[in-house]
Amino acid sequence: MFEKIEEVRNYLFKYLETRLDLIKTETQERLENIVIQLIYLIVLLLLAALTGIFLFIMLALGINEWLNSRYVGFLIVFGLLAASTAIWARAGRQVQQAVRQLLFRVFNHK
């Protein structure tokens, strides 16, 4: 009788140990996926920012060429960017909510 109880206890202990290992492995996989997605998003945002910078420089130079000026194109592009920044800053809560929803979709996508 005690042998069977001891045997059941050993099986239960092995089951719990296996279950904890499984939970640990699943948690590690989720963390790895989040880190991989973060690295991907950071690189993507960096490349998009650099592309945007070069596009704005090209736009400013094109406007300068079109208006036969050295600085007016840069002033126009600066004005557009400053206005966009002001609009973005004013939209604070709505933007934060949209970003929160986007991050939720990105990190909970399976």
Side-chain angles (χ1 to χ4, degrees), residues 11 16 22 25 29 31 44-45 48 57 63 71 78 83 85-86 89 95 103 108:
Y11 283 131
L16 289 174
L22 179 63
T25 303
E29 283 180 12
L31 186 60
L44 181 65
L45 289 174
I57 290 172
I63 293 172
Y71 303 108
F78 171 77
T85 302
V95 171
L103 289 174
N108 288 328

Side-chain angles (χ1 to χ4, degrees), residues 32-77:
E32 287 174 358
N33 286 336
I34 288 172
V35 169
I36 289 169
Q37 288 177 348
L38 278 174
I39 291 171
Y40 174 77
L41 284 173
I42 288 169
V43 170
L44 181 65
L45 289 174
L46 179 65
L47 291 172
L50 290 172
T51 302
I53 289 169
F54 280 104
L55 281 174
F56 286 124
I57 290 172
M58 286 176 38
L59 177 64
L61 290 172
I63 293 172
N64 282 341
E65 186 72 26
W66 181 51
L67 296 176
N68 291 326
S69 173
R70 287 182 135 183
Y71 303 108
V72 174
F74 288 103
L75 289 174
I76 291 172
V77 170

Side-chain angles (χ1 to χ4, degrees), residues 5 19 23 48 58 65 76 83-84 89 91 93 95 97 103-104:
I5 292 174
R19 187 76 175 140
I23 291 171
M58 286 176 38
E65 186 72 26
I76 291 172
S84 298
R93 289 190 191 260
V95 171
Q97 185 64 28
L103 289 174
F104 181 77

